[in-house]
Amino acid sequence: MKETYLFTRQQMKNQELVPSWITKEFATFEKLVSEPSFPCYFGRHGLIQDELRYSYIEKDNWAHLPDTMRSFLSLLKRDPSVRRGLFLFAEQGENETIEEFRKEFWNILQYLHKEDHKPWPKHIPEDPDHHLWTFCFDGEPIFAFGNAPAYVQRKTRNLGNALVIGFQPRLIFEGLEGTEPNGINSREAVRKRVEVWDQLPKHPDISHYGDETHHEWKQFFIGDDCEPIKSKCPFHHIQKNKSSIR
């Protein structure tokens, strides 16, 4: 495995390890997520307990990202009972609108897919229009969600001046699935807190994984409004021959 850029909370504050723009953006992220009223219990707990991990990519350099993701997933598998998430900070380019940030978000996921060495899990559909589709990397199903400064109304999706992508392997949701009582209760509690923060009703594309009327990919990067996404999924599954999978 090549050099990776997987950091702890304290390392994200160390300018000998990360660039100055990261220490600035992480300070904003840390202040917001550590607020007692922050809607996501799991995110706040993970930050405070230093269970979350972090990384960043620069505008012209994404090369380390695949190996950084593999390092994160390897760490997760050492103790799956720790509900770890990875937050990736992307250096801001010329993006200004929700659509521009959404495009960059999907470009990053597409890049990871192109550099994936493992086959797509057999139990996960390859077609994003299937209700059981989700993003996968290194053989692991993952929920990814984008946060960007272009969000004005949905304040919970604005974590600073950079595109911030959260990666949550579905492994951490074991026992909290959308059809399980604990999962239903936790999800509804978080969503009520989100509505208070945003002062908007739940976005119509938000549901739970496995809902047959739901497209999971739409939840990855919702709009800054109450309108359902009507476009096609930007993600394209790449059929890889066996020789391309190491």
Side-chain angles (χ1 to χ4, degrees), residues 22-186:
I22 275 294
T23 57
K24 182 179 179 181
E25 287 305 320
F26 186 73
T28 301
F29 173 93
E30 185 178 44
K31 182 179 180 180
L32 283 168
V33 178
S34 61
E35 281 280 342
S37 59
F38 186 73
C40 182
Y41 299 104
F42 300 114
R44 183 172 183 272
H45 174 86
L47 171 74
I48 293 170
Q49 298 298 319
D50 202 24
E51 295 172 352
L52 301 180
R53 290 296 180 266
Y54 312 92
S55 190
Y56 70 92
I57 51 175
E58 296 167 303
K59 286 180 288 188
D60 56 353
N61 182 15
W62 297 0
H64 73 82
L65 184 54
D67 281 307
T68 297
M69 283 288 293
R70 293 181 189 106
S71 293
F72 168 69
L73 293 171
S74 177
L75 174 66
L76 174 71
K77 291 173 187 175
R78 289 178 210 165
D79 186 358
S81 67
V82 179
R83 300 185 191 276
R84 297 191 187 277
L86 171 66
F87 284 87
L88 175 72
F89 293 73
E91 186 176 15
Q92 189 172 4
E94 300 302 317
N95 300 318
E96 294 183 355
T97 68
I98 288 287
E99 285 304 320
E100 288 169 333
F101 279 107
R102 181 181 280 126
K103 181 178 179 181
E104 184 175 5
F105 169 90
W106 285 107
N107 283 344
I108 291 168
L109 264 59
Q110 194 70 49
Y111 172 78
L112 279 169
H113 178 53
K114 180 173 70 73
E115 299 298 322
D116 195 357
H117 298 161
K118 289 190 178 179
W120 196 262
K122 292 182 179 179
H123 65 290
I124 302 296
E126 298 174 358
D127 181 3
D129 283 333
H130 194 288
H131 70 280
L132 290 178
W133 179 90
T134 193
F135 180 68
C136 298
F137 184 81
D138 204 42
E140 289 295 325
I142 298 170
F143 174 68
F145 59 101
N147 309 272
Y151 282 103
V152 177
Q153 298 187 86
R154 296 198 175 274
K155 301 175 184 66
T156 47
R157 292 280 182 142
N158 185 332
L159 300 177
N161 293 314
L163 171 65
V164 181
I165 303 177
F167 292 95
Q168 297 177 315
R170 295 217 168 264
L171 185 62
I172 71 173
F173 298 125
E174 195 167 309
L176 297 173
E177 291 86 356
T179 54
E180 294 295 320
N182 286 342
I184 293 170
N185 293 337
S186 297

Side-chain angles (χ1 to χ4, degrees), residues 199-213:
Q199 297 185 348
L200 283 177
K202 182 185 74 173
H203 193 280
D205 288 323
I206 297 291
S207 183
H208 68 268
Y209 182 68
D211 180 351
E212 294 184 5
T213 67

